[in-house]
Amino acid sequence: MKTLMRASFALAIAAAAVAGMTHGRMSAQTQAAPAGRVAAAQPAAPAGGWRPVKRKDGQPDIEGYYQALGNSGGAGTNLEPMASFMGGAATSPGVVIDPPDGKIPYLPWARVRRDEVQKSHLHPNQAQVDTRNRGWPDGVPRINYYSVNPFQILQPEGAVLILYEAQHEFRYIPLDGRPQIDQGVKLWMGSSRGHWEGTTLVAEVTHISDRVRFSISGDFASDEVKITERWNWTDGDMIMHSATFEDPKVYTRPFTVAKTIKRVKDRGFEIMEYSGVEGEKDQELMVDIPASMKKEPDRK
């Protein structure tokens, strides 16, 4: 009975996402095998040697709880290496793997804007306050790398559903080749479309709001950015995650960040309630981002 209830709940969430929901608190804890899991014939072992169980819709079975490893860089602090982060003496490592120098290839005007926020991250003015502190969603891929907040992956037929502990957010990633939403719609978590390449889930994320902040240090993009994620399961418990940013309005070339994500196998583990903005008294920081952050500076 509990297994059937869990399966029904997962499908209900997926239906709600398709219907256009943008927020909602969802919690589903599944320690037993869900109804959609079948011990089908095993596929040929990929290069890494992992033989995933196949689900009824042909997906590798990757349901479970996951959490990013380590707090450096992509935990939401900085994408590039950053000296004296949070006032410390050490340099916080970055997560940029391409270009090889670990630097984001910003256009000159964009680097000036990012650096102004980075230099003031301990004492930001109102326009520089991080979006996470405002209570707004982290966006992709930052929310995947928030190491103190795990997430759960469910697999309703023909899709991947991710429930994040952070900010009560979720992502519905359809795998059926459906067209994207209207270009005029911009979302904090973007709009995802995915497909499988062996044991790698490839998700293309577009329609991202230009108010999204990719790190505390001020990394950003325009609302025309395209982010291509590769969730590469090297075995049943380990993901090598990467995200490639493409945005000629802000960067001189594409760049890629990467981080390791590991399955959480603790007995009885579940996603906890996230309380990030309850009791917040600085209401203007939650609802207002000054115009200076919305306008693009002179690009000369």
PDB file of all heavy atoms in Angstrom, residues 1-32:
ATOM      1  N   MET A   1       0.829  -1.201   0.000  1.00  0.00           N
ATOM      2  CA  MET A   1       0.000   0.000   0.000  1.00  0.00           C
ATOM      3  C   MET A   1       0.861   1.248   0.000  1.00  0.00           C
ATOM      4  O   MET A   1       0.630   2.184  -0.748  1.00  0.00           O
ATOM      5  CB  MET A   1      -0.935  -0.009   1.218  1.00  0.00           C
ATOM      6  CG  MET A   1      -1.807   1.250   1.340  1.00  0.00           C
ATOM      7  SD  MET A   1      -2.947   1.440  -0.054  1.00  0.00           S
ATOM      8  CE  MET A   1      -4.086   0.129   0.300  1.00  0.00           C
ATOM      9  N   LYS A   2       1.908   1.285   0.883  1.00  0.00           N
ATOM     10  CA  LYS A   2       2.771   2.460   0.935  1.00  0.00           C
ATOM     11  C   LYS A   2       3.469   2.681  -0.397  1.00  0.00           C
ATOM     12  O   LYS A   2       3.637   3.813  -0.846  1.00  0.00           O
ATOM     13  CB  LYS A   2       3.805   2.302   2.046  1.00  0.00           C
ATOM     14  CG  LYS A   2       3.205   2.387   3.437  1.00  0.00           C
ATOM     15  CD  LYS A   2       4.300   2.289   4.486  1.00  0.00           C
ATOM     16  CE  LYS A   2       3.716   2.415   5.878  1.00  0.00           C
ATOM     17  NZ  LYS A   2       4.758   2.296   6.916  1.00  0.00           N
ATOM     18  N   THR A   3       3.888   1.569  -1.041  1.00  0.00           N
ATOM     19  CA  THR A   3       4.574   1.712  -2.340  1.00  0.00           C
ATOM     20  C   THR A   3       3.647   2.315  -3.378  1.00  0.00           C
ATOM     21  O   THR A   3       4.032   3.189  -4.155  1.00  0.00           O
ATOM     22  CB  THR A   3       5.083   0.339  -2.816  1.00  0.00           C
ATOM     23  OG1 THR A   3       5.990  -0.169  -1.846  1.00  0.00           O
ATOM     24  CG2 THR A   3       5.796   0.465  -4.164  1.00  0.00           C
ATOM     25  N   LEU A   4       2.385   1.842  -3.407  1.00  0.00           N
ATOM     26  CA  LEU A   4       1.425   2.380  -4.367  1.00  0.00           C
ATOM     27  C   LEU A   4       1.145   3.842  -4.090  1.00  0.00           C
ATOM     28  O   LEU A   4       1.002   4.656  -5.015  1.00  0.00           O
ATOM     29  CB  LEU A   4       0.136   1.571  -4.297  1.00  0.00           C
ATOM     30  CG  LEU A   4       0.234   0.122  -4.815  1.00  0.00           C
ATOM     31  CD1 LEU A   4      -1.067  -0.606  -4.577  1.00  0.00           C
ATOM     32  CD2 LEU A   4       0.604   0.115  -6.296  1.00  0.00           C
ATOM     33  N   MET A   5       1.069   4.220  -2.804  1.00  0.00           N
ATOM     34  CA  MET A   5       0.821   5.625  -2.465  1.00  0.00           C
ATOM     35  C   MET A   5       1.982   6.493  -2.916  1.00  0.00           C
ATOM     36  O   MET A   5       1.784   7.584  -3.430  1.00  0.00           O
ATOM     37  CB  MET A   5       0.619   5.754  -0.958  1.00  0.00           C
ATOM     38  CG  MET A   5      -0.693   5.161  -0.460  1.00  0.00           C
ATOM     39  SD  MET A   5      -0.831   5.236   1.335  1.00  0.00           S
ATOM     40  CE  MET A   5      -0.920   7.006   1.553  1.00  0.00           C
ATOM     41  N   ARG A   6       3.202   5.999  -2.735  1.00  0.00           N
ATOM     42  CA  ARG A   6       4.353   6.787  -3.164  1.00  0.00           C
ATOM     43  C   ARG A   6       4.348   6.973  -4.680  1.00  0.00           C
ATOM     44  O   ARG A   6       4.630   8.047  -5.198  1.00  0.00           O
ATOM     45  CB  ARG A   6       5.648   6.098  -2.739  1.00  0.00           C
ATOM     46  CG  ARG A   6       5.872   6.065  -1.240  1.00  0.00           C
ATOM     47  CD  ARG A   6       7.277   5.573  -0.950  1.00  0.00           C
ATOM     48  NE  ARG A   6       7.440   5.297   0.463  1.00  0.00           N
ATOM     49  CZ  ARG A   6       7.434   4.070   0.987  1.00  0.00           C
ATOM     50  NH1 ARG A   6       7.283   3.033   0.194  1.00  0.00           N
ATOM     51  NH2 ARG A   6       7.594   3.898   2.282  1.00  0.00           N
ATOM     52  N   ALA A   7       4.068   5.887  -5.408  1.00  0.00           N
ATOM     53  CA  ALA A   7       4.045   5.981  -6.866  1.00  0.00           C
ATOM     54  C   ALA A   7       2.973   6.957  -7.327  1.00  0.00           C
ATOM     55  O   ALA A   7       3.190   7.764  -8.232  1.00  0.00           O
ATOM     56  CB  ALA A   7       3.801   4.591  -7.472  1.00  0.00           C
ATOM     57  N   SER A   8       1.795   6.892  -6.700  1.00  0.00           N
ATOM     58  CA  SER A   8       0.713   7.815  -7.066  1.00  0.00           C
ATOM     59  C   SER A   8       1.101   9.248  -6.782  1.00  0.00           C
ATOM     60  O   SER A   8       0.804  10.158  -7.552  1.00  0.00           O
ATOM     61  CB  SER A   8      -0.554   7.454  -6.276  1.00  0.00           C
ATOM     62  OG  SER A   8      -0.981   6.146  -6.595  1.00  0.00           O
ATOM     63  N   PHE A   9       1.796   9.449  -5.666  1.00  0.00           N
ATOM     64  CA  PHE A   9       2.222  10.805  -5.310  1.00  0.00           C
ATOM     65  C   PHE A   9       3.203  11.360  -6.333  1.00  0.00           C
ATOM     66  O   PHE A   9       3.107  12.508  -6.751  1.00  0.00           O
ATOM     67  CB  PHE A   9       2.865  10.782  -3.929  1.00  0.00           C
ATOM     68  CG  PHE A   9       3.315  12.131  -3.447  1.00  0.00           C
ATOM     69  CD1 PHE A   9       2.393  13.107  -3.146  1.00  0.00           C
ATOM     70  CD2 PHE A   9       4.668  12.416  -3.316  1.00  0.00           C
ATOM     71  CE1 PHE A   9       2.803  14.355  -2.707  1.00  0.00           C
ATOM     72  CE2 PHE A   9       5.080  13.657  -2.885  1.00  0.00           C
ATOM     73  CZ  PHE A   9       4.151  14.623  -2.573  1.00  0.00           C
ATOM     74  N   ALA A  10       4.161  10.535  -6.750  1.00  0.00           N
ATOM     75  CA  ALA A  10       5.147  10.989  -7.737  1.00  0.00           C
ATOM     76  C   ALA A  10       4.469  11.379  -9.035  1.00  0.00           C
ATOM     77  O   ALA A  10       4.797  12.394  -9.651  1.00  0.00           O
ATOM     78  CB  ALA A  10       6.176   9.883  -7.981  1.00  0.00           C
ATOM     79  N   LEU A  11       3.500  10.557  -9.486  1.00  0.00           N
ATOM     80  CA  LEU A  11       2.806  10.871 -10.731  1.00  0.00           C
ATOM     81  C   LEU A  11       1.958  12.130 -10.588  1.00  0.00           C
ATOM     82  O   LEU A  11       1.831  12.921 -11.533  1.00  0.00           O
ATOM     83  CB  LEU A  11       1.932   9.685 -11.138  1.00  0.00           C
ATOM     84  CG  LEU A  11       2.706   8.418 -11.553  1.00  0.00           C
ATOM     85  CD1 LEU A  11       1.753   7.271 -11.801  1.00  0.00           C
ATOM     86  CD2 LEU A  11       3.531   8.700 -12.803  1.00  0.00           C
ATOM     87  N   ALA A  12       1.387  12.345  -9.404  1.00  0.00           N
ATOM     88  CA  ALA A  12       0.596  13.560  -9.178  1.00  0.00           C
ATOM     89  C   ALA A  12       1.470  14.792  -9.267  1.00  0.00           C
ATOM     90  O   ALA A  12       1.083  15.816  -9.822  1.00  0.00           O
ATOM     91  CB  ALA A  12      -0.093  13.494  -7.812  1.00  0.00           C
ATOM     92  N   ILE A  13       2.662  14.715  -8.717  1.00  0.00           N
ATOM     93  CA  ILE A  13       3.581  15.850  -8.785  1.00  0.00           C
ATOM     94  C   ILE A  13       3.942  16.138 -10.231  1.00  0.00           C
ATOM     95  O   ILE A  13       3.964  17.286 -10.676  1.00  0.00           O
ATOM     96  CB  ILE A  13       4.851  15.561  -7.972  1.00  0.00           C
ATOM     97  CG1 ILE A  13       4.508  15.465  -6.485  1.00  0.00           C
ATOM     98  CG2 ILE A  13       5.888  16.641  -8.178  1.00  0.00           C
ATOM     99  CD1 ILE A  13       5.655  15.005  -5.626  1.00  0.00           C
ATOM    100  N   ALA A  14       4.240  15.089 -10.986  1.00  0.00           N
ATOM    101  CA  ALA A  14       4.603  15.286 -12.388  1.00  0.00           C
ATOM    102  C   ALA A  14       3.470  15.947 -13.157  1.00  0.00           C
ATOM    103  O   ALA A  14       3.679  16.853 -13.962  1.00  0.00           O
ATOM    104  CB  ALA A  14       4.966  13.937 -13.022  1.00  0.00           C
ATOM    105  N   ALA A  15       2.240  15.502 -12.897  1.00  0.00           N
ATOM    106  CA  ALA A  15       1.099  16.097 -13.580  1.00  0.00           C
ATOM    107  C   ALA A  15       0.953  17.562 -13.242  1.00  0.00           C
ATOM    108  O   ALA A  15       0.644  18.393 -14.099  1.00  0.00           O
ATOM    109  CB  ALA A  15      -0.185  15.334 -13.202  1.00  0.00           C
ATOM    110  N   ALA A  16       1.202  17.899 -11.973  1.00  0.00           N
ATOM    111  CA  ALA A  16       1.111  19.293 -11.555  1.00  0.00           C
ATOM    112  C   ALA A  16       2.153  20.132 -12.248  1.00  0.00           C
ATOM    113  O   ALA A  16       1.897  21.256 -12.670  1.00  0.00           O
ATOM    114  CB  ALA A  16       1.274  19.396 -10.035  1.00  0.00           C
ATOM    115  N   ALA A  17       3.359  19.580 -12.408  1.00  0.00           N
ATOM    116  CA  ALA A  17       4.416  20.332 -13.075  1.00  0.00           C
ATOM    117  C   ALA A  17       4.071  20.583 -14.520  1.00  0.00           C
ATOM    118  O   ALA A  17       4.289  21.662 -15.067  1.00  0.00           O
ATOM    119  CB  ALA A  17       5.738  19.570 -12.969  1.00  0.00           C
ATOM    120  N   VAL A  18       3.524  19.563 -15.184  1.00  0.00           N
ATOM    121  CA  VAL A  18       3.130  19.729 -16.586  1.00  0.00           C
ATOM    122  C   VAL A  18       2.063  20.798 -16.722  1.00  0.00           C
ATOM    123  O   VAL A  18       2.008  21.540 -17.699  1.00  0.00           O
ATOM    124  CB  VAL A  18       2.625  18.384 -17.162  1.00  0.00           C
ATOM    125  CG1 VAL A  18       2.073  18.568 -18.558  1.00  0.00           C
ATOM    126  CG2 VAL A  18       3.758  17.365 -17.177  1.00  0.00           C
ATOM    127  N   ALA A  19       1.188  20.868 -15.729  1.00  0.00           N
ATOM    128  CA  ALA A  19       0.100  21.851 -15.777  1.00  0.00           C
ATOM    129  C   ALA A  19       0.577  23.267 -15.592  1.00  0.00           C
ATOM    130  O   ALA A  19      -0.170  24.206 -15.778  1.00  0.00           O
ATOM    131  CB  ALA A  19      -0.933  21.525 -14.699  1.00  0.00           C
ATOM    132  N   GLY A  20       1.852  23.432 -15.229  1.00  0.00           N
ATOM    133  CA  GLY A  20       2.394  24.780 -15.172  1.00  0.00           C
ATOM    134  C   GLY A  20       2.622  25.321 -13.788  1.00  0.00           C
ATOM    135  O   GLY A  20       2.794  26.513 -13.628  1.00  0.00           O
ATOM    136  N   MET A  21       2.646  24.492 -12.760  1.00  0.00           N
ATOM    137  CA  MET A  21       2.936  24.984 -11.427  1.00  0.00           C
ATOM    138  C   MET A  21       4.359  25.491 -11.372  1.00  0.00           C
ATOM    139  O   MET A  21       5.246  24.936 -11.988  1.00  0.00           O
ATOM    140  CB  MET A  21       2.776  23.852 -10.390  1.00  0.00           C
ATOM    141  CG  MET A  21       1.335  23.429 -10.184  1.00  0.00           C
ATOM    142  SD  MET A  21       1.237  22.073  -8.991  1.00  0.00           S
ATOM    143  CE  MET A  21       1.931  22.857  -7.551  1.00  0.00           C
ATOM    144  N   THR A  22       4.590  26.560 -10.641  1.00  0.00           N
ATOM    145  CA  THR A  22       5.931  27.110 -10.522  1.00  0.00           C
ATOM    146  C   THR A  22       6.486  26.968  -9.127  1.00  0.00           C
ATOM    147  O   THR A  22       7.680  27.140  -8.927  1.00  0.00           O
ATOM    148  CB  THR A  22       5.935  28.602 -10.894  1.00  0.00           C
ATOM    149  OG1 THR A  22       5.038  29.298 -10.040  1.00  0.00           O
ATOM    150  CG2 THR A  22       5.539  28.802 -12.334  1.00  0.00           C
ATOM    151  N   HIS A  23       5.651  26.688  -8.136  1.00  0.00           N
ATOM    152  CA  HIS A  23       6.124  26.501  -6.780  1.00  0.00           C
ATOM    153  C   HIS A  23       5.277  25.436  -6.098  1.00  0.00           C
ATOM    154  O   HIS A  23       4.172  25.122  -6.531  1.00  0.00           O
ATOM    155  CB  HIS A  23       6.058  27.796  -5.956  1.00  0.00           C
ATOM    156  CG  HIS A  23       7.181  28.723  -6.242  1.00  0.00           C
ATOM    157  ND1 HIS A  23       7.162  29.592  -7.312  1.00  0.00           N
ATOM    158  CD2 HIS A  23       8.378  28.881  -5.625  1.00  0.00           C
ATOM    159  CE1 HIS A  23       8.279  30.279  -7.324  1.00  0.00           C
ATOM    160  NE2 HIS A  23       9.032  29.873  -6.319  1.00  0.00           N
ATOM    161  N   GLY A  24       5.775  24.904  -5.032  1.00  0.00           N
ATOM    162  CA  GLY A  24       5.032  23.936  -4.256  1.00  0.00           C
ATOM    163  C   GLY A  24       5.968  23.164  -3.357  1.00  0.00           C
ATOM    164  O   GLY A  24       7.080  22.863  -3.752  1.00  0.00           O
ATOM    165  N   ARG A  25       5.505  22.820  -2.189  1.00  0.00           N
ATOM    166  CA  ARG A  25       6.317  22.032  -1.265  1.00  0.00           C
ATOM    167  C   ARG A  25       5.939  20.584  -1.449  1.00  0.00           C
ATOM    168  O   ARG A  25       4.785  20.211  -1.289  1.00  0.00           O
ATOM    169  CB  ARG A  25       6.074  22.468   0.178  1.00  0.00           C
ATOM    170  CG  ARG A  25       6.764  21.577   1.211  1.00  0.00           C
ATOM    171  CD  ARG A  25       8.256  21.582   1.019  1.00  0.00           C
ATOM    172  NE  ARG A  25       8.902  20.736   2.007  1.00  0.00           N
ATOM    173  CZ  ARG A  25      10.161  20.378   1.912  1.00  0.00           C
ATOM    174  NH1 ARG A  25      10.889  20.772   0.889  1.00  0.00           N
ATOM    175  NH2 ARG A  25      10.707  19.619   2.839  1.00  0.00           N
ATOM    176  N   MET A  26       6.888  19.763  -1.854  1.00  0.00           N
ATOM    177  CA  MET A  26       6.603  18.365  -2.095  1.00  0.00           C
ATOM    178  C   MET A  26       7.608  17.519  -1.351  1.00  0.00           C
ATOM    179  O   MET A  26       8.803  17.781  -1.421  1.00  0.00           O
ATOM    180  CB  MET A  26       6.695  18.054  -3.594  1.00  0.00           C
ATOM    181  CG  MET A  26       5.599  18.720  -4.403  1.00  0.00           C
ATOM    182  SD  MET A  26       6.015  18.767  -6.131  1.00  0.00           S
ATOM    183  CE  MET A  26       7.067  20.200  -6.121  1.00  0.00           C
ATOM    184  N   SER A  27       7.151  16.533  -0.647  1.00  0.00           N
ATOM    185  CA  SER A  27       8.069  15.623   0.017  1.00  0.00           C
ATOM    186  C   SER A  27       7.596  14.202  -0.216  1.00  0.00           C
ATOM    187  O   SER A  27       6.438  13.891  -0.020  1.00  0.00           O
ATOM    188  CB  SER A  27       8.129  15.901   1.525  1.00  0.00           C
ATOM    189  OG  SER A  27       6.869  15.746   2.106  1.00  0.00           O
ATOM    190  N   ALA A  28       8.509  13.343  -0.687  1.00  0.00           N
ATOM    191  CA  ALA A  28       8.178  11.948  -0.928  1.00  0.00           C
ATOM    192  C   ALA A  28       9.405  11.139  -0.593  1.00  0.00           C
ATOM    193  O   ALA A  28      10.433  11.286  -1.219  1.00  0.00           O
ATOM    194  CB  ALA A  28       7.772  11.728  -2.386  1.00  0.00           C
ATOM    195  N   GLN A  29       9.307  10.301   0.382  1.00  0.00           N
ATOM    196  CA  GLN A  29      10.443   9.513   0.797  1.00  0.00           C
ATOM    197  C   GLN A  29      10.234   8.070   0.348  1.00  0.00           C
ATOM    198  O   GLN A  29       9.224   7.457   0.688  1.00  0.00           O
ATOM    199  CB  GLN A  29      10.614   9.562   2.323  1.00  0.00           C
ATOM    200  CG  GLN A  29      11.083  10.918   2.828  1.00  0.00           C
ATOM    201  CD  GLN A  29       9.981  11.945   2.835  1.00  0.00           C
ATOM    202  OE1 GLN A  29       8.880  11.652   3.264  1.00  0.00           O
ATOM    203  NE2 GLN A  29      10.253  13.140   2.357  1.00  0.00           N
ATOM    204  N   THR A  30      11.172   7.545  -0.434  1.00  0.00           N
ATOM    205  CA  THR A  30      10.999   6.222  -1.011  1.00  0.00           C
ATOM    206  C   THR A  30      12.216   5.379  -0.726  1.00  0.00           C
ATOM    207  O   THR A  30      13.203   5.462  -1.433  1.00  0.00           O
ATOM    208  CB  THR A  30      10.772   6.324  -2.538  1.00  0.00           C
ATOM    209  OG1 THR A  30      11.848   7.067  -3.092  1.00  0.00           O
ATOM    210  CG2 THR A  30       9.466   7.014  -2.856  1.00  0.00           C
ATOM    211  N   GLN A  31      12.145   4.567   0.293  1.00  0.00           N
ATOM    212  CA  GLN A  31      13.215   3.635   0.587  1.00  0.00           C
ATOM    213  C   GLN A  31      12.960   2.303  -0.112  1.00  0.00           C
ATOM    214  O   GLN A  31      13.897   1.622  -0.521  1.00  0.00           O
ATOM    215  CB  GLN A  31      13.329   3.419   2.101  1.00  0.00           C
ATOM    216  CG  GLN A  31      13.723   4.662   2.874  1.00  0.00           C
ATOM    217  CD  GLN A  31      15.104   5.146   2.509  1.00  0.00           C
ATOM    218  OE1 GLN A  31      15.916   4.396   1.981  1.00  0.00           O
ATOM    219  NE2 GLN A  31      15.380   6.402   2.772  1.00  0.00           N
ATOM    220  N   ALA A  32      11.689   1.917  -0.227  1.00  0.00           N
ATOM    221  CA  ALA A  32      11.377   0.697  -0.952  1.00  0.00           C
ATOM    222  C   ALA A  32      11.351   0.984  -2.438  1.00  0.00           C
ATOM    223  O   ALA A  32      11.244   2.114  -2.879  1.00  0.00           O
ATOM    224  CB  ALA A  32      10.011   0.168  -0.498  1.00  0.00           C
TER     225      ALA A  32
END
